Amino acid sequence: LRIFSGWWYVKRLRRKAVLLGGKWNSQVQLLAASLHIQKFISLAESSFIHAPVVIGHLRPMILFPVGMCSGLSVEQIESIILHELIHIKRNDYLVNVIQSLMEAMYFFNPFVWMISGIIRQEREHCCDDAVVKYYGNPLAYVRALATLEETRFSKSGLALSFAQDKNQ
């Protein structure tokens, strides 16, 4: 049931997303080509998310929260796009699907949940390290992450209770 609801949610995100065109779409393709990613990657906005995410493996889509781009500089947006592209290059979406299957099969084992949380956190750290390595502008990336966190924590009430990691 958990896997099915997750699959349904991702389909809903893709269906309700508003595709972005123009300059940013071509910039995504240029950055993807520089990372030797052969897939076409679409860029879209969604009002259902609070942080940038990648959905899909065969037809990957980078989703931004609505209005996120307005508070960030071009360098900061590029560094966030690069972070998401590195997730695509590393096939993290497939790893996440396999990890979700393991969680569903061994839902009763607390160590599976502990290890799964560590793996998710380390995937993010690997992508952060790769952004700093490839992009070469760690300050812009750090400022982008700080701005995203400020935006996420400035949301009040119900939105804050759904934040993934409140300890960040």
Side-chain angles (χ1 to χ4, degrees):
L1 191 61
R2 177 182 163 92
I3 291 171
F4 176 74
S5 65
W7 172 78
W8 181 79
Y9 179 70
V10 169
K11 275 189 78 82
R12 183 173 172 238
L13 280 177
R14 185 179 287 275
R15 204 172 352 109
K16 299 278 185 173
V18 177
L19 291 174
L20 298 176
K23 175 190 167 204
W24 285 115
N25 238 345
S26 59
Q27 188 66 20
V28 167
Q29 302 314 317
L30 284 173
L31 286 170
S34 72
L35 290 172
H36 307 292
I37 299 172
Q38 303 299 321
K39 301 174 185 176
F40 179 79
I41 298 149
S42 24
L43 186 63
E45 280 187 322
S46 175
S47 59
F48 297 105
I49 59 170
H50 301 290
V53 295
V54 172
I55 58 173
H57 177 69
L58 299 175
R59 292 180 302 136
M61 176 184 280
I62 298 175
L63 288 177
F64 280 163
V66 172
M68 185 195 86
C69 296
S70 64
L72 300 172
S73 70
V74 173
E75 293 84 16
Q76 291 172 334
I77 294 171
E78 282 181 357
S79 65
I80 291 170
I81 289 173
L82 189 58
H83 175 97
E84 301 304 326
L85 286 173
I86 292 167
H87 278 299
I88 294 169
K89 183 175 177 69
R90 291 170 33 94
N91 293 314
D92 281 346
Y93 190 79
L94 283 180
V95 172
N96 197 39
V97 168
I98 292 168
Q99 195 171 341
S100 295
L101 287 171
M102 296 306 288
E103 289 172 353
M105 285 173 37
Y106 298 106
F107 68 92
F108 54 86
N109 190 334
F111 293 110
V112 168
W113 291 99
M114 233 171 38
I115 291 169
S116 186
I118 292 169
I119 290 171
R120 280 192 171 84
Q121 192 175 34
E122 287 304 314
R123 276 200 321 249
E124 290 300 320
H125 288 270
C126 287
C127 290
D128 291 340
D129 291 343
V131 168
V132 170
K133 177 183 172 189
Y134 289 123
Y135 193 61
N137 191 353
L139 191 57
Y141 186 57
V142 168
R143 286 188 177 145
L145 292 177
T147 303
L148 286 176
E149 285 300 310
E150 286 173 3
T151 304
R152 192 172 76 167
F153 282 123
S154 69
K155 307 250 190 266
S156 62
L158 193 58
L160 241 184
S161 68
F162 290 127
Q164 287 180 352
D165 190 2
K166 295 178 181 106
N167 296 327
Q168 289 291 71

PDB file of all heavy atoms in Angstrom, residues 12-44:
ATOM      1  N   ARG A  12       0.881  11.879  -9.886  1.00  0.00           N
ATOM      2  CA  ARG A  12       0.110  13.106  -9.694  1.00  0.00           C
ATOM      3  C   ARG A  12       1.014  14.331  -9.801  1.00  0.00           C
ATOM      4  O   ARG A  12       0.644  15.341 -10.406  1.00  0.00           O
ATOM      5  CB  ARG A  12      -0.578  13.062  -8.338  1.00  0.00           C
ATOM      6  CG  ARG A  12      -1.456  14.249  -8.070  1.00  0.00           C
ATOM      7  CD  ARG A  12      -2.241  14.037  -6.784  1.00  0.00           C
ATOM      8  NE  ARG A  12      -2.938  15.244  -6.428  1.00  0.00           N
ATOM      9  CZ  ARG A  12      -2.789  15.885  -5.290  1.00  0.00           C
ATOM     10  NH1 ARG A  12      -1.984  15.406  -4.363  1.00  0.00           N
ATOM     11  NH2 ARG A  12      -3.448  16.982  -5.045  1.00  0.00           N
ATOM     12  N   LEU A  13       2.215  14.252  -9.206  1.00  0.00           N
ATOM     13  CA  LEU A  13       3.168  15.353  -9.312  1.00  0.00           C
ATOM     14  C   LEU A  13       3.497  15.639 -10.771  1.00  0.00           C
ATOM     15  O   LEU A  13       3.532  16.795 -11.195  1.00  0.00           O
ATOM     16  CB  LEU A  13       4.461  15.027  -8.558  1.00  0.00           C
ATOM     17  CG  LEU A  13       4.486  15.204  -7.060  1.00  0.00           C
ATOM     18  CD1 LEU A  13       5.833  14.767  -6.497  1.00  0.00           C
ATOM     19  CD2 LEU A  13       4.191  16.635  -6.667  1.00  0.00           C
ATOM     20  N   ARG A  14       3.765  14.588 -11.532  1.00  0.00           N
ATOM     21  CA  ARG A  14       4.124  14.755 -12.946  1.00  0.00           C
ATOM     22  C   ARG A  14       2.961  15.352 -13.742  1.00  0.00           C
ATOM     23  O   ARG A  14       3.147  16.230 -14.570  1.00  0.00           O
ATOM     24  CB  ARG A  14       4.539  13.418 -13.548  1.00  0.00           C
ATOM     25  CG  ARG A  14       5.042  13.544 -14.981  1.00  0.00           C
ATOM     26  CD  ARG A  14       5.481  12.220 -15.564  1.00  0.00           C
ATOM     27  NE  ARG A  14       6.713  11.728 -15.048  1.00  0.00           N
ATOM     28  CZ  ARG A  14       7.920  12.075 -15.500  1.00  0.00           C
ATOM     29  NH1 ARG A  14       8.026  12.951 -16.471  1.00  0.00           N
ATOM     30  NH2 ARG A  14       9.001  11.550 -14.989  1.00  0.00           N
ATOM     31  N   ARG A  15       1.754  14.885 -13.459  1.00  0.00           N
ATOM     32  CA  ARG A  15       0.574  15.345 -14.195  1.00  0.00           C
ATOM     33  C   ARG A  15       0.244  16.806 -13.900  1.00  0.00           C
ATOM     34  O   ARG A  15      -0.145  17.563 -14.787  1.00  0.00           O
ATOM     35  CB  ARG A  15      -0.619  14.454 -13.831  1.00  0.00           C
ATOM     36  CG  ARG A  15      -1.698  14.410 -14.852  1.00  0.00           C
ATOM     37  CD  ARG A  15      -2.786  13.375 -14.576  1.00  0.00           C
ATOM     38  NE  ARG A  15      -2.533  12.463 -13.486  1.00  0.00           N
ATOM     39  CZ  ARG A  15      -3.173  12.487 -12.317  1.00  0.00           C
ATOM     40  NH1 ARG A  15      -4.104  13.368 -12.092  1.00  0.00           N
ATOM     41  NH2 ARG A  15      -2.887  11.619 -11.370  1.00  0.00           N
ATOM     42  N   LYS A  16       0.413  17.227 -12.643  1.00  0.00           N
ATOM     43  CA  LYS A  16       0.032  18.578 -12.230  1.00  0.00           C
ATOM     44  C   LYS A  16       1.155  19.598 -12.406  1.00  0.00           C
ATOM     45  O   LYS A  16       0.934  20.793 -12.208  1.00  0.00           O
ATOM     46  CB  LYS A  16      -0.387  18.575 -10.752  1.00  0.00           C
ATOM     47  CG  LYS A  16      -1.566  17.695 -10.439  1.00  0.00           C
ATOM     48  CD  LYS A  16      -2.849  18.378 -10.760  1.00  0.00           C
ATOM     49  CE  LYS A  16      -4.008  17.499 -10.316  1.00  0.00           C
ATOM     50  NZ  LYS A  16      -5.261  18.152 -10.448  1.00  0.00           N
ATOM     51  N   ALA A  17       2.356  19.141 -12.758  1.00  0.00           N
ATOM     52  CA  ALA A  17       3.497  20.053 -12.895  1.00  0.00           C
ATOM     53  C   ALA A  17       3.311  20.963 -14.108  1.00  0.00           C
ATOM     54  O   ALA A  17       2.746  20.573 -15.122  1.00  0.00           O
ATOM     55  CB  ALA A  17       4.787  19.257 -13.022  1.00  0.00           C
ATOM     56  N   VAL A  18       3.828  22.174 -13.979  1.00  0.00           N
ATOM     57  CA  VAL A  18       3.791  23.153 -15.061  1.00  0.00           C
ATOM     58  C   VAL A  18       5.190  23.214 -15.662  1.00  0.00           C
ATOM     59  O   VAL A  18       6.147  23.621 -14.988  1.00  0.00           O
ATOM     60  CB  VAL A  18       3.363  24.541 -14.538  1.00  0.00           C
ATOM     61  CG1 VAL A  18       3.394  25.565 -15.654  1.00  0.00           C
ATOM     62  CG2 VAL A  18       2.006  24.472 -13.879  1.00  0.00           C
ATOM     63  N   LEU A  19       5.310  22.787 -16.922  1.00  0.00           N
ATOM     64  CA  LEU A  19       6.620  22.746 -17.572  1.00  0.00           C
ATOM     65  C   LEU A  19       7.172  24.155 -17.773  1.00  0.00           C
ATOM     66  O   LEU A  19       6.443  25.068 -18.137  1.00  0.00           O
ATOM     67  CB  LEU A  19       6.529  22.035 -18.920  1.00  0.00           C
ATOM     68  CG  LEU A  19       6.269  20.541 -18.873  1.00  0.00           C
ATOM     69  CD1 LEU A  19       6.047  20.002 -20.276  1.00  0.00           C
ATOM     70  CD2 LEU A  19       7.422  19.824 -18.206  1.00  0.00           C
ATOM     71  N   LEU A  20       8.457  24.297 -17.527  1.00  0.00           N
ATOM     72  CA  LEU A  20       9.148  25.563 -17.775  1.00  0.00           C
ATOM     73  C   LEU A  20       9.839  25.467 -19.124  1.00  0.00           C
ATOM     74  O   LEU A  20      10.417  24.449 -19.474  1.00  0.00           O
ATOM     75  CB  LEU A  20      10.191  25.828 -16.688  1.00  0.00           C
ATOM     76  CG  LEU A  20       9.667  25.976 -15.267  1.00  0.00           C
ATOM     77  CD1 LEU A  20      10.815  26.140 -14.299  1.00  0.00           C
ATOM     78  CD2 LEU A  20       8.722  27.160 -15.166  1.00  0.00           C
ATOM     79  N   GLY A  21       9.791  26.503 -19.859  1.00  0.00           N
ATOM     80  CA  GLY A  21      10.427  26.488 -21.170  1.00  0.00           C
ATOM     81  C   GLY A  21      11.518  27.535 -21.255  1.00  0.00           C
ATOM     82  O   GLY A  21      11.936  28.118 -20.255  1.00  0.00           O
ATOM     83  N   GLY A  22      11.980  27.749 -22.440  1.00  0.00           N
ATOM     84  CA  GLY A  22      12.919  28.822 -22.692  1.00  0.00           C
ATOM     85  C   GLY A  22      14.324  28.570 -22.202  1.00  0.00           C
ATOM     86  O   GLY A  22      14.871  27.475 -22.328  1.00  0.00           O
ATOM     87  N   LYS A  23      14.888  29.613 -21.609  1.00  0.00           N
ATOM     88  CA  LYS A  23      16.299  29.629 -21.226  1.00  0.00           C
ATOM     89  C   LYS A  23      16.663  28.507 -20.261  1.00  0.00           C
ATOM     90  O   LYS A  23      17.684  27.845 -20.420  1.00  0.00           O
ATOM     91  CB  LYS A  23      16.623  30.984 -20.615  1.00  0.00           C
ATOM     92  CG  LYS A  23      18.018  31.080 -20.075  1.00  0.00           C
ATOM     93  CD  LYS A  23      18.207  32.344 -19.272  1.00  0.00           C
ATOM     94  CE  LYS A  23      19.498  32.218 -18.501  1.00  0.00           C
ATOM     95  NZ  LYS A  23      19.532  33.040 -17.331  1.00  0.00           N
ATOM     96  N   TRP A  24      15.834  28.280 -19.256  1.00  0.00           N
ATOM     97  CA  TRP A  24      16.194  27.294 -18.229  1.00  0.00           C
ATOM     98  C   TRP A  24      16.186  25.870 -18.764  1.00  0.00           C
ATOM     99  O   TRP A  24      17.008  25.052 -18.376  1.00  0.00           O
ATOM    100  CB  TRP A  24      15.295  27.424 -17.004  1.00  0.00           C
ATOM    101  CG  TRP A  24      15.660  28.612 -16.195  1.00  0.00           C
ATOM    102  CD1 TRP A  24      14.904  29.721 -15.973  1.00  0.00           C
ATOM    103  CD2 TRP A  24      16.907  28.835 -15.528  1.00  0.00           C
ATOM    104  NE1 TRP A  24      15.596  30.618 -15.218  1.00  0.00           N
ATOM    105  CE2 TRP A  24      16.835  30.096 -14.920  1.00  0.00           C
ATOM    106  CE3 TRP A  24      18.071  28.101 -15.391  1.00  0.00           C
ATOM    107  CZ2 TRP A  24      17.881  30.637 -14.183  1.00  0.00           C
ATOM    108  CZ3 TRP A  24      19.122  28.637 -14.654  1.00  0.00           C
ATOM    109  CH2 TRP A  24      19.018  29.881 -14.072  1.00  0.00           C
ATOM    110  N   ASN A  25      15.264  25.576 -19.670  1.00  0.00           N
ATOM    111  CA  ASN A  25      15.243  24.238 -20.259  1.00  0.00           C
ATOM    112  C   ASN A  25      16.509  23.977 -21.063  1.00  0.00           C
ATOM    113  O   ASN A  25      17.092  22.902 -20.983  1.00  0.00           O
ATOM    114  CB  ASN A  25      14.008  24.070 -21.148  1.00  0.00           C
ATOM    115  CG  ASN A  25      13.155  22.916 -20.694  1.00  0.00           C
ATOM    116  OD1 ASN A  25      13.589  22.077 -19.915  1.00  0.00           O
ATOM    117  ND2 ASN A  25      11.948  22.878 -21.196  1.00  0.00           N
ATOM    118  N   SER A  26      16.941  24.957 -21.841  1.00  0.00           N
ATOM    119  CA  SER A  26      18.175  24.784 -22.614  1.00  0.00           C
ATOM    120  C   SER A  26      19.387  24.722 -21.690  1.00  0.00           C
ATOM    121  O   SER A  26      20.333  23.974 -21.948  1.00  0.00           O
ATOM    122  CB  SER A  26      18.337  25.894 -23.644  1.00  0.00           C
ATOM    123  OG  SER A  26      18.374  27.156 -23.025  1.00  0.00           O
ATOM    124  N   GLN A  27      19.348  25.456 -20.588  1.00  0.00           N
ATOM    125  CA  GLN A  27      20.446  25.415 -19.617  1.00  0.00           C
ATOM    126  C   GLN A  27      20.534  24.038 -18.958  1.00  0.00           C
ATOM    127  O   GLN A  27      21.630  23.521 -18.727  1.00  0.00           O
ATOM    128  CB  GLN A  27      20.257  26.510 -18.554  1.00  0.00           C
ATOM    129  CG  GLN A  27      21.413  26.675 -17.617  1.00  0.00           C
ATOM    130  CD  GLN A  27      22.664  27.180 -18.318  1.00  0.00           C
ATOM    131  OE1 GLN A  27      22.618  27.746 -19.390  1.00  0.00           O
ATOM    132  NE2 GLN A  27      23.799  26.954 -17.688  1.00  0.00           N
ATOM    133  N   VAL A  28      19.402  23.442 -18.664  1.00  0.00           N
ATOM    134  CA  VAL A  28      19.384  22.090 -18.088  1.00  0.00           C
ATOM    135  C   VAL A  28      20.014  21.103 -19.065  1.00  0.00           C
ATOM    136  O   VAL A  28      20.816  20.251 -18.675  1.00  0.00           O
ATOM    137  CB  VAL A  28      17.943  21.660 -17.726  1.00  0.00           C
ATOM    138  CG1 VAL A  28      17.863  20.175 -17.440  1.00  0.00           C
ATOM    139  CG2 VAL A  28      17.442  22.444 -16.533  1.00  0.00           C
ATOM    140  N   GLN A  29      19.672  21.219 -20.342  1.00  0.00           N
ATOM    141  CA  GLN A  29      20.226  20.294 -21.336  1.00  0.00           C
ATOM    142  C   GLN A  29      21.737  20.490 -21.495  1.00  0.00           C
ATOM    143  O   GLN A  29      22.480  19.512 -21.659  1.00  0.00           O
ATOM    144  CB  GLN A  29      19.518  20.458 -22.684  1.00  0.00           C
ATOM    145  CG  GLN A  29      18.015  20.235 -22.648  1.00  0.00           C
ATOM    146  CD  GLN A  29      17.586  18.999 -21.871  1.00  0.00           C
ATOM    147  OE1 GLN A  29      18.173  17.941 -21.988  1.00  0.00           O
ATOM    148  NE2 GLN A  29      16.541  19.148 -21.061  1.00  0.00           N
ATOM    149  N   LEU A  30      22.199  21.730 -21.418  1.00  0.00           N
ATOM    150  CA  LEU A  30      23.646  21.992 -21.498  1.00  0.00           C
ATOM    151  C   LEU A  30      24.383  21.402 -20.295  1.00  0.00           C
ATOM    152  O   LEU A  30      25.439  20.776 -20.449  1.00  0.00           O
ATOM    153  CB  LEU A  30      23.911  23.504 -21.580  1.00  0.00           C
ATOM    154  CG  LEU A  30      23.644  24.180 -22.912  1.00  0.00           C
ATOM    155  CD1 LEU A  30      23.794  25.688 -22.785  1.00  0.00           C
ATOM    156  CD2 LEU A  30      24.586  23.642 -23.970  1.00  0.00           C
ATOM    157  N   LEU A  31      23.833  21.617 -19.116  1.00  0.00           N
ATOM    158  CA  LEU A  31      24.458  21.053 -17.914  1.00  0.00           C
ATOM    159  C   LEU A  31      24.428  19.528 -17.956  1.00  0.00           C
ATOM    160  O   LEU A  31      25.392  18.871 -17.559  1.00  0.00           O
ATOM    161  CB  LEU A  31      23.752  21.562 -16.654  1.00  0.00           C
ATOM    162  CG  LEU A  31      24.033  23.008 -16.258  1.00  0.00           C
ATOM    163  CD1 LEU A  31      23.085  23.448 -15.149  1.00  0.00           C
ATOM    164  CD2 LEU A  31      25.473  23.185 -15.829  1.00  0.00           C
ATOM    165  N   ALA A  32      23.338  18.956 -18.440  1.00  0.00           N
ATOM    166  CA  ALA A  32      23.240  17.496 -18.548  1.00  0.00           C
ATOM    167  C   ALA A  32      24.277  16.962 -19.532  1.00  0.00           C
ATOM    168  O   ALA A  32      24.922  15.939 -19.273  1.00  0.00           O
ATOM    169  CB  ALA A  32      21.836  17.085 -18.985  1.00  0.00           C
ATOM    170  N   ALA A  33      24.462  17.650 -20.644  1.00  0.00           N
ATOM    171  CA  ALA A  33      25.462  17.221 -21.626  1.00  0.00           C
ATOM    172  C   ALA A  33      26.871  17.309 -21.043  1.00  0.00           C
ATOM    173  O   ALA A  33      27.709  16.444 -21.316  1.00  0.00           O
ATOM    174  CB  ALA A  33      25.354  18.072 -22.884  1.00  0.00           C
ATOM    175  N   SER A  34      27.124  18.320 -20.217  1.00  0.00           N
ATOM    176  CA  SER A  34      28.454  18.441 -19.607  1.00  0.00           C
ATOM    177  C   SER A  34      28.729  17.316 -18.606  1.00  0.00           C
ATOM    178  O   SER A  34      29.877  16.981 -18.346  1.00  0.00           O
ATOM    179  CB  SER A  34      28.612  19.802 -18.933  1.00  0.00           C
ATOM    180  OG  SER A  34      27.832  19.869 -17.761  1.00  0.00           O
ATOM    181  N   LEU A  35      27.660  16.721 -18.065  1.00  0.00           N
ATOM    182  CA  LEU A  35      27.804  15.580 -17.145  1.00  0.00           C
ATOM    183  C   LEU A  35      27.678  14.238 -17.878  1.00  0.00           C
ATOM    184  O   LEU A  35      27.633  13.191 -17.234  1.00  0.00           O
ATOM    185  CB  LEU A  35      26.741  15.651 -16.043  1.00  0.00           C
ATOM    186  CG  LEU A  35      26.897  16.760 -15.026  1.00  0.00           C
ATOM    187  CD1 LEU A  35      25.683  16.824 -14.113  1.00  0.00           C
ATOM    188  CD2 LEU A  35      28.156  16.566 -14.212  1.00  0.00           C
ATOM    189  N   HIS A  36      27.576  14.282 -19.211  1.00  0.00           N
ATOM    190  CA  HIS A  36      27.447  13.088 -20.050  1.00  0.00           C
ATOM    191  C   HIS A  36      26.154  12.325 -19.760  1.00  0.00           C
ATOM    192  O   HIS A  36      26.141  11.105 -19.738  1.00  0.00           O
ATOM    193  CB  HIS A  36      28.654  12.163 -19.899  1.00  0.00           C
ATOM    194  CG  HIS A  36      29.962  12.854 -20.127  1.00  0.00           C
ATOM    195  ND1 HIS A  36      30.341  13.315 -21.362  1.00  0.00           N
ATOM    196  CD2 HIS A  36      30.955  13.184 -19.276  1.00  0.00           C
ATOM    197  CE1 HIS A  36      31.519  13.899 -21.268  1.00  0.00           C
ATOM    198  NE2 HIS A  36      31.922  13.842 -20.016  1.00  0.00           N
ATOM    199  N   ILE A  37      25.083  13.062 -19.549  1.00  0.00           N
ATOM    200  CA  ILE A  37      23.759  12.467 -19.380  1.00  0.00           C
ATOM    201  C   ILE A  37      23.063  12.531 -20.733  1.00  0.00           C
ATOM    202  O   ILE A  37      22.905  13.611 -21.305  1.00  0.00           O
ATOM    203  CB  ILE A  37      22.940  13.212 -18.303  1.00  0.00           C
ATOM    204  CG1 ILE A  37      23.634  13.136 -16.948  1.00  0.00           C
ATOM    205  CG2 ILE A  37      21.528  12.649 -18.218  1.00  0.00           C
ATOM    206  CD1 ILE A  37      22.999  13.996 -15.868  1.00  0.00           C
ATOM    207  N   GLN A  38      22.646  11.380 -21.247  1.00  0.00           N
ATOM    208  CA  GLN A  38      22.079  11.291 -22.584  1.00  0.00           C
ATOM    209  C   GLN A  38      20.562  11.517 -22.620  1.00  0.00           C
ATOM    210  O   GLN A  38      20.003  11.710 -23.673  1.00  0.00           O
ATOM    211  CB  GLN A  38      22.391   9.914 -23.191  1.00  0.00           C
ATOM    212  CG  GLN A  38      23.862   9.593 -23.252  1.00  0.00           C
ATOM    213  CD  GLN A  38      24.639  10.574 -24.106  1.00  0.00           C
ATOM    214  OE1 GLN A  38      24.166  11.008 -25.143  1.00  0.00           O
ATOM    215  NE2 GLN A  38      25.829  10.949 -23.665  1.00  0.00           N
ATOM    216  N   LYS A  39      19.898  11.477 -21.485  1.00  0.00           N
ATOM    217  CA  LYS A  39      18.437  11.571 -21.436  1.00  0.00           C
ATOM    218  C   LYS A  39      17.984  13.019 -21.588  1.00  0.00           C
ATOM    219  O   LYS A  39      18.687  13.943 -21.200  1.00  0.00           O
ATOM    220  CB  LYS A  39      17.911  11.039 -20.107  1.00  0.00           C
ATOM    221  CG  LYS A  39      18.265   9.615 -19.837  1.00  0.00           C
ATOM    222  CD  LYS A  39      17.840   9.221 -18.444  1.00  0.00           C
ATOM    223  CE  LYS A  39      18.301   7.814 -18.133  1.00  0.00           C
ATOM    224  NZ  LYS A  39      17.991   7.429 -16.782  1.00  0.00           N
ATOM    225  N   PHE A  40      16.764  13.184 -22.128  1.00  0.00           N
ATOM    226  CA  PHE A  40      16.146  14.506 -22.136  1.00  0.00           C
ATOM    227  C   PHE A  40      15.512  14.724 -20.767  1.00  0.00           C
ATOM    228  O   PHE A  40      14.755  13.891 -20.286  1.00  0.00           O
ATOM    229  CB  PHE A  40      15.082  14.619 -23.233  1.00  0.00           C
ATOM    230  CG  PHE A  40      14.409  15.955 -23.238  1.00  0.00           C
ATOM    231  CD1 PHE A  40      15.033  17.050 -23.805  1.00  0.00           C
ATOM    232  CD2 PHE A  40      13.176  16.121 -22.641  1.00  0.00           C
ATOM    233  CE1 PHE A  40      14.429  18.300 -23.789  1.00  0.00           C
ATOM    234  CE2 PHE A  40      12.556  17.362 -22.611  1.00  0.00           C
ATOM    235  CZ  PHE A  40      13.197  18.449 -23.200  1.00  0.00           C
ATOM    236  N   ILE A  41      15.827  15.830 -20.149  1.00  0.00           N
ATOM    237  CA  ILE A  41      15.342  16.116 -18.799  1.00  0.00           C
ATOM    238  C   ILE A  41      14.437  17.341 -18.863  1.00  0.00           C
ATOM    239  O   ILE A  41      14.840  18.395 -19.343  1.00  0.00           O
ATOM    240  CB  ILE A  41      16.521  16.369 -17.846  1.00  0.00           C
ATOM    241  CG1 ILE A  41      17.377  15.115 -17.779  1.00  0.00           C
ATOM    242  CG2 ILE A  41      16.033  16.751 -16.465  1.00  0.00           C
ATOM    243  CD1 ILE A  41      18.811  15.364 -17.548  1.00  0.00           C
ATOM    244  N   SER A  42      13.203  17.180 -18.416  1.00  0.00           N
ATOM    245  CA  SER A  42      12.298  18.317 -18.387  1.00  0.00           C
ATOM    246  C   SER A  42      12.400  19.035 -17.050  1.00  0.00           C
ATOM    247  O   SER A  42      12.763  18.457 -16.041  1.00  0.00           O
ATOM    248  CB  SER A  42      10.862  17.903 -18.665  1.00  0.00           C
ATOM    249  OG  SER A  42      10.616  16.596 -18.363  1.00  0.00           O
ATOM    250  N   LEU A  43      12.062  20.293 -17.090  1.00  0.00           N
ATOM    251  CA  LEU A  43      12.100  21.157 -15.918  1.00  0.00           C
ATOM    252  C   LEU A  43      10.697  21.708 -15.709  1.00  0.00           C
ATOM    253  O   LEU A  43      10.063  22.180 -16.649  1.00  0.00           O
ATOM    254  CB  LEU A  43      13.097  22.294 -16.161  1.00  0.00           C
ATOM    255  CG  LEU A  43      13.418  23.238 -15.030  1.00  0.00           C
ATOM    256  CD1 LEU A  43      14.086  22.485 -13.884  1.00  0.00           C
ATOM    257  CD2 LEU A  43      14.329  24.348 -15.502  1.00  0.00           C
ATOM    258  N   ALA A  44      10.199  21.608 -14.476  1.00  0.00           N
ATOM    259  CA  ALA A  44       8.823  22.036 -14.210  1.00  0.00           C
ATOM    260  C   ALA A  44       8.706  22.609 -12.810  1.00  0.00           C
ATOM    261  O   ALA A  44       9.598  22.441 -11.979  1.00  0.00           O
ATOM    262  CB  ALA A  44       7.870  20.858 -14.377  1.00  0.00           C
TER     263      ALA A  44
END
